[in-house]
Amino acid sequence: MKRVVTFGEVMLRLAPEGYYRFLQADSFGATFGGGEANVAVSLANYGIDAAFVTKLPSHEIGQMAVNSLRKYGVDTSRIVRGGDRVGIYYLEKGASQRPSKVIYDRAHSAVSEATAADFNWDEIFEGADWFHFTGITPALGDNVAEICLEAVKSAKKHGLKVSCDLNYRKKLWTREKAGKVMAELMPYVDVCIANEEDAADVFGIKAANTDVTKGEVNHEGYKDVAKQLKERFGFEYVAITLRGSISANDNDWAAMLYDGENYCFSKQYRMHIVDRVGGGDSFGGGLIYAMLNGYSSQETIEFAVAASCLKHSVEGDYNMMSVSEVKNLAGGDSSGRVQR
């Protein structure tokens, strides 16, 4: 069985019921999520041996986070226990023309105060095939960026494939700092994942004739973005998700995979969204699964986009879809008819 290791922060997610605004809410639902944790859950649901690495407090809230991963078969044995806080994010789900809103309360979380001595990457990567992280993790602090650099260096030493979702978060760091730190990590990355804005925000590479706020996506522009990313950093693959935002509830969803020779575009889905948080992570999980299983570039991008499309129908950060469900959609069954 293929083994994938992911590294990042898992947070407590607090959200009002349904589409209530923060100011209306009398209570909040409590679940867990975070970029790399979401990828690990997707892969575990697909039958991959997926391990998530982080640092969490040893108190009950930290244990709740661990249990939320164990519930879906994620290997939590490499999670370091210590520190005082579990990071929190508050989510207000958008509707119609009102966008979703996220408020972070993650300063001084356990993993943001971790040190390089907390993680023995030689032991962590024993028997592993793949390592995944996102641009959110090094944004947590210079110390965590250094841990990420040690991790990718060790991963390459052990012969692992390395993937990174750029995932720029303006509430965590500036474009200038992101560009500097991520540029140091990219030479160790084989598969780069970005959305319609990340390449521009982190590396200043923009798609021509594209306006995501108007739902306009130009395929030729993204071909150029992928080519520039590959030429600058030497990636084996560049995957770019293409989201056309019609409203908070309705998006067009597709993606492109560039393998150095071919630009493979997926079919496009018109999605009515239940929960979009974790949509990009489910794309990453689908991409990794398909690549580990030897799918062609076109099959890979179709599987990843279908996986992510289905995630948008699932409440919470974690993607609760099976391989067969993803394959059914990728194969053309998008009717949503009752399965009896």
Side-chain angles (χ1 to χ4, degrees):
M1 182 185 296
K2 299 293 187 180
R3 180 170 174 82
V4 177
V5 176
T6 73
F7 170 63
E9 179 170 29
V10 61
M11 293 179 291
L12 175 65
R13 164 175 157 166
L14 298 177
E17 178 184 356
Y19 293 96
Y20 279 93
R21 303 213 70 188
F22 288 135
L23 296 175
Q24 294 176 284
D26 297 315
S27 61
F28 292 82
T31 55
F32 290 88
E36 299 88 351
N38 299 342
V39 171
V41 171
S42 277
L43 290 167
N45 281 330
Y46 298 150
I48 297 291
D49 179 9
F52 176 65
V53 179
T54 192
K55 186 173 184 177
L56 285 167
S58 57
H59 55 51
E60 288 84 352
I61 306 304
Q63 191 60 43
M64 285 175 62
V66 172
N67 291 349
S68 77
L69 296 161
R70 286 179 176 170
K71 178 179 179 180
Y72 299 109
V74 174
D75 177 2
T76 59
S77 64
R78 297 299 185 179
I79 292 178
V80 176
R81 306 306 291 269
D84 299 316
R85 290 202 68 210
V86 176
I88 298 170
Y89 84 92
Y90 299 86
L91 172 68
E92 178 185 282
K93 288 170 62 176
S96 191
Q97 279 67 47
R98 174 172 60 86
S100 296
K101 182 176 291 186
V102 169
I103 297 174
Y104 289 126
D105 179 16
R106 64 200 300 181
H108 305 294
S109 66
V111 71
S112 72
E113 297 185 344
T115 67
D118 285 321
F119 305 99
N120 185 330
W121 293 107
D122 288 333
E123 291 184 1
I124 291 169
F125 289 140
E126 187 175 349
D129 301 282
W130 196 291
F131 175 59
H132 178 77
F133 72 104
T134 78
I136 298 170
T137 302
L140 298 177
D142 291 343
N143 55 316
V144 189
E146 183 60 34
I147 294 169
C148 286
L149 186 58
E150 289 194 6
V152 294
K153 287 180 177 179
S154 180
K156 298 315 293 180
K157 183 179 72 174
H158 287 272
L160 278 68
K161 291 291 185 185
V162 176
S163 57
C164 176
D165 189 332
L166 294 183
N167 264 351
Y168 175 71
R169 295 291 185 267
K170 64 182 179 181
K171 292 185 178 182
L172 296 180
W173 57 358
T174 65
R175 290 181 176 89
E176 292 73 22
K177 184 64 177 289
K180 180 177 182 296
V181 173
M182 295 303 287
E184 294 179 4
L185 295 167
M186 291 303 99
Y188 303 94
V189 172
D190 302 292
V191 181
C192 177
I193 303 167
N195 68 16
E196 62 272 12
E197 298 169 281
D198 290 333
D201 287 330
V202 180
F203 298 124
I205 299 173
K206 299 180 180 180
N209 301 317
T210 291
D211 188 339
V212 297
T213 63
K214 296 180 180 178
E216 298 172 359
V217 173
N218 173 28
H219 284 191
E220 292 304 316
Y222 286 112
K223 286 182 181 180
D224 185 52
V225 168
K227 184 178 181 182
Q228 288 189 57
L229 283 168
K230 180 174 173 56
E231 288 176 348
R232 185 180 299 187
F233 298 109
F235 303 127
E236 289 184 29
Y237 296 91
V238 178
I240 298 180
T241 55
L242 310 174
R243 184 188 295 273
S245 294
I246 301 163
S247 70
N249 297 103
D250 296 284
N251 286 181
D252 288 331
W253 185 243
M256 180 198 74
L257 181 64
Y258 177 52
D259 60 13
E261 295 183 3
N262 303 302
Y263 297 94
C264 299
F265 285 88
S266 73
K267 62 173 65 72
Q268 180 173 280
Y269 298 95
R270 174 66 54 90
M271 304 184 302
H272 185 71
I273 298 171
V274 171
D275 191 336
R276 68 164 288 176
V277 178
D281 305 319
S282 60
F283 174 82
L287 196 79
I288 294 167
Y289 174 83
M291 288 184 170
L292 282 172
N293 282 278
Y295 287 23
S296 69
S297 291
Q298 190 64 49
E299 290 170 334
T300 293
I301 200 64
E302 295 292 359
F303 186 91
V305 170
S308 184
C309 177
L310 289 168
K311 162 61 192 81
H312 285 76
S313 72
V314 179
E315 292 276 8
D317 277 50
Y318 298 155
N319 191 16
M320 299 288 96
M321 309 312 299
S322 67
V323 170
S324 61
E325 289 171 318
V326 176
K327 284 185 174 180
N328 283 344
L329 178 57
D333 184 359
S334 59
S335 65
R337 293 176 63 85
V338 176
Q339 303 294 308
R340 304 185 191 275

